[in-house]
């Protein structure tokens, strides 16, 4: 950076990743503004808050006439991205658009083409359109910003301040100890990126004027190494005295018994069935690493999550203890050869 203070606009900045970016930017000496409606949360300290609503053209007028050395946007609706580009694209030095690995059409292989984009003016927030909307947003940013555009495509983002907490089940459950239901094969790969590492890389990119599109993800790790790593971190923090006993239950049995992969009620975070999601857990971390993404050890990620989230987690994934116990019980019955009746079995009269 030059001696003159650089100006950054974070579109968002009130929650999780975009808030981490704004907070780290302040700590690095940027002059930071965040622009949002102010509904999701509070921006970090020492930033200018610009109240906007990207739902219509009028709502982004407070940005007109402003200029920034760098912009970071986390939006997911093409029309909302286009609206802000119309007002700002010609007065910005570098533009990061945070996309997602959900842009890929085929999650069974890591080298898939991207989905067909939705239209540039589309406003539909349906989660089913998330990947296609992100492709359309990416295209808008590339068209308007050219080689000023930096587009990281994160995989699952975990860490401090996680407001969707799809992974929180694991540290909380492991901290309780005892027999813990572990999904699928111990060697099944999982991948994630730490929110603080991603924020730091996005700021490096803005400072170095890095452009291009990258999968933003860490190296694949076996599910067992992931769960044992969490247990190690919790032991190190003094949270657990005893190590949990993981019972590995095959994926088909879990699916038959209503355990849901990845996200939502009755789910186990990070677990994705094979082979349909083999690509989702095998993205190449090399290009992002070569372009400067530095990854924290898992223990540091778990520690930051624990300190920030464990007291009042907002769990959006995870099995209840009741459901976990029922599935483990059924699995042990099966292992003992106990005849488990099929779901449509009726007591003979
Ligand atoms: N979490 C993951 O595992 C994951 C994985 C891959 C990619 N991603 C991507 O990573 C990014 C995460 O961003 P994030 O953590 O900062 O969370 P986010 O929930 O995407 O944040 C959205 C931000 O935009 C603002 N906003 C929403 N609607 C608005 C509107 N109509 N007008 C103006 N501002 C509006 C929100 O603030 P207000 O509500 O206050 O307006 C909030 O600050 C996203 O791009 C997501 O798609 C996430």
């Amino acid at each position: 950076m030059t001696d003159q203070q650089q100006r950054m606009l974070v579109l968002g900045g009130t929650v999780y990743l975009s808030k981490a970016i704004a907070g780290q930017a302040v700590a690095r000496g940027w002059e930071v503004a965040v622009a949002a409606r102010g509904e999701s949360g509070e921006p970090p300290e020492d930033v200018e808050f610009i109240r906007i609503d990207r739902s219509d053209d009028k709502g982004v007028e407070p940005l007109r006439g402003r200029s920034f050395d760098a912009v970071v946007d986390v939006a997911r609706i093409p029309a909302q991205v286009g609206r802000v580009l119309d007002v700002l694209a010609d007065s910005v030095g570098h533009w990061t658009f945070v996309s997602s690995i959900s842009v890929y059409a085929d999650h069974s292989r890591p080298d898939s083409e991207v989905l067909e984009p939705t239209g540039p003016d589309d406003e539909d927030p349906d989660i089913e359109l998330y990947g296609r909307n992100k492709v359309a947003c990416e295209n808008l940013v590339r068209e308007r910003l050219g080689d000023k555009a930096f587009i990281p495509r994160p995989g699952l983002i975990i860490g401090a301040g996680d407001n969707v907490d799809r992974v929180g089940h694991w540290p909380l459950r492991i901290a309780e100890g005892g027999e813990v239901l572990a999904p699928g094969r111990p060697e099944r790969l999982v991948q994630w990126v730490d929110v603080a590492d991603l924020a730091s890389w996005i700021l490096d990119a803005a400072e170095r004027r890095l452009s291009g599109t990258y999968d933003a993800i860490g190296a694949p790790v076996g599910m067992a190494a992931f769960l044992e790593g969490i247990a190690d971190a919790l032991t190190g923090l003094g949270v657990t005295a005893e190590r949990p006993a993981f019972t590995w239950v095959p994926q088909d049995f879990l699916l038959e018994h209503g355990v849901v992969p990845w996200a939502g009620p009755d789910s186990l975070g990070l677990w994705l069935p094979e082979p349909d999601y083999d690509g989702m857990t095998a993205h190449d971390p090399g290009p992002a690493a070569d372009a400067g993404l530095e990854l924290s050890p898992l223990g540091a990620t778990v520690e930051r999550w624990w300190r920030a989230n464990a007291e009042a987690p907002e769990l959006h994934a995870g099995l209840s203890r009741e459901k976990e116990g029922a599935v483990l019980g059924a699995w042990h019955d099966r292992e003992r050869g106990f005849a488990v009746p099929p779901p449509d079995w009726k007591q003979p009269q």
Side-chain angles (χ1 to χ4, degrees), residues 46-105:
D46 300 323
V47 305
E48 177 193 2
F49 180 70
I50 307 173
R51 193 173 300 278
I52 62 166
D53 186 344
R54 307 171 70 167
S55 321
D56 58 35
D57 292 349
K58 204 165 144 263
V60 299
E61 279 302 310
L63 296 173
R64 191 173 295 283
R66 301 289 300 258
S67 66
F68 298 93
D69 298 289
V71 164
V72 177
D73 189 10
V74 294
R76 43 192 88 193
I77 306 292
Q80 296 194 0
V81 168
R83 237 166 238 138
V84 173
L85 286 167
D86 286 347
V87 175
L88 284 180
D90 297 334
S91 53
V92 169
H94 184 264
W95 195 292
T96 297
F97 176 71
V98 179
S99 184
S100 166
I101 55 166
S102 296
V103 294
Y104 294 110

Side-chain angles (χ1 to χ4, degrees), residues 82-338:
R83 237 166 238 138
V84 173
L85 286 167
D86 286 347
V87 175
L88 284 180
D90 297 334
S91 53
V92 169
H94 184 264
W95 195 292
T96 297
F97 176 71
V98 179
S99 184
S100 166
I101 55 166
S102 296
V103 294
Y104 294 110
D106 181 355
H107 292 303
S108 71
R109 55 191 173 87
D111 57 350
S112 165
E113 63 287 355
V114 297
L115 290 159
E116 191 66 28
T118 52
D121 300 322
D122 278 13
E123 304 259 13
D124 189 347
D126 187 342
I127 192 66
E128 295 296 321
L129 296 174
Y130 175 66
R132 294 183 57 205
N133 277 341
K134 282 287 198 186
V135 178
C137 296
E138 286 188 2
N139 290 344
L140 286 166
V141 172
R142 272 190 220 99
E143 279 159 23
R144 295 296 294 270
L145 273 303
D147 63 6
K148 294 178 183 169
F150 171 58
I151 303 187
R153 293 173 173 162
L156 186 64
I157 304 171
I158 70 176
D162 188 349
N163 60 331
V164 286
D165 243 349
R166 278 173 297 192
V167 184
H169 166 79
W170 288 119
L172 291 169
R173 178 63 193 88
I174 289 169
E176 289 174 7
E179 184 185 20
V180 174
L181 174 59
R185 292 185 307 117
E187 305 78 23
R188 169 62 163 156
L189 296 178
V190 295
Q191 276 186 301
W192 68 90
V193 62
D194 179 290
V195 64
D197 300 341
L198 179 57
S200 177
W201 186 44
I202 287 170
L203 291 174
D204 291 346
E207 289 169 1
R208 292 165 35 215
R209 300 291 188 256
L210 178 66
S211 67
T213 302
Y214 299 83
D215 290 340
I217 197 72
V221 167
M223 180 62 100
F226 174 71
L227 297 182
E228 295 287 356
I230 294 174
D232 289 344
L234 296 177
T235 306
L237 284 171
V239 172
T240 47
E242 250 181 59
R243 290 194 76 81
F246 294 110
T247 295
W248 293 90
V249 179
Q251 72 170 32
D252 290 348
F253 188 88
L254 295 178
L255 294 169
E256 275 165 31
H257 286 79
V259 182
V260 177
W262 193 248
D266 288 338
S267 71
L268 287 175
L270 265 93
W271 169 49
L272 285 168
E274 308 177 77
D276 293 1
Y277 291 92
D278 283 359
M280 190 97 159
T281 58
H283 285 284
D284 182 0
D290 292 345
L293 172 60
E294 290 181 22
L295 299 160
S296 298
L298 175 58
T301 300
V302 173
E303 179 172 347
R304 288 194 290 261
W305 181 89
W306 190 269
R307 294 195 193 288
N309 288 58
E311 211 165 285
E314 293 178 42
L315 287 189
H316 293 263
L319 287 186
S320 64
R321 288 301 290 268
E322 190 186 3
K323 174 95 183 175
E324 184 195 48
V327 175
L328 281 171
W331 173 244
H332 291 311
D333 282 346
R334 168 81 60 97
E335 278 186 311
R336 317 204 306 262
F338 190 80

